[in-house]
Amino acid sequence: MNTNLVTLGTLAVRGFIALLMFSPFPVVGAGERGVVTVFGNASDNILESGFHLISPVASVHKFTVQTQKVEADASAASSDLQTVTTNVAVNYHLEPTLVKELYKSVGSNDVFAANIVTPAIQDSVKAATASFTAEQLITPRAAVSEPI
């Protein structure tokens, strides 16, 4: 009878270790959302912060929905054809309900910042800088930062 209990206990421990190896218990931190994917297909289920139970074949891709800062350098020509180099910082956050679409179309937080936010900053700086002279870009900074 003792050998049956030892064997049963050993099986239980091995089963628990196997369950943990597949890690079907993701933890989504505060300020994050998780997109559940099964074999690369994003499900409609977006995980809120907390402890979750998912299928062992599923994986979770986490996205930060807290405010983040991106800095970008941009060079542009002023209206009097002076070269202007600026460093622009933009604060943004992801809409928590749209992280699934972001995952499907872009990928991750880092790819979004590098491929979407930074080029948008550079285009905006070029468009705004072209309508001011070099002197106007230096003196009324608030008037310049508004169109950017």
Side-chain angles (χ1 to χ4, degrees), residues 101-108 111-113 115-116:
E101 285 76 18
L102 179 69
Y103 172 76
K104 290 171 82 174
S105 62
V106 177
S108 68
V111 174
F112 177 73
N115 294 348
I116 305 295

Side-chain angles (χ1 to χ4, degrees), residues 35-105:
V35 176
V36 179
T37 60
V38 179
F39 301 119
N41 292 326
S43 72
D44 291 332
N45 188 16
I46 297 174
L47 302 179
E48 303 263 336
S49 300
F51 180 79
H52 302 277
L53 175 65
I54 62 169
S55 169
V57 296
S59 59
V60 176
H61 304 274
K62 296 178 185 176
F63 288 85
T64 301
V65 294
Q66 295 172 327
T67 301
Q68 299 175 69
K69 180 172 110 174
V70 173
E71 289 189 39
D73 292 324
S75 292
S78 63
S79 64
D80 57 352
L81 301 178
Q82 299 281 336
T83 301
V84 178
T85 303
T86 57
N87 181 284
V88 179
V90 173
N91 291 328
Y92 74 96
H93 74 277
L94 302 177
E95 178 61 37
T97 59
L98 299 175
V99 293
K100 175 187 165 192
E101 285 76 18
L102 179 69
Y103 172 76
K104 290 171 82 174
S105 62

Side-chain angles (χ1 to χ4, degrees), residues 11-35:
L11 284 175
V13 168
R14 287 182 181 175
F16 181 72
I17 291 172
L19 186 65
L20 289 178
M21 286 175 54
F22 289 110
S23 66
F25 306 109
V27 177
V28 179
E32 292 181 333
R33 295 297 182 271
V35 176

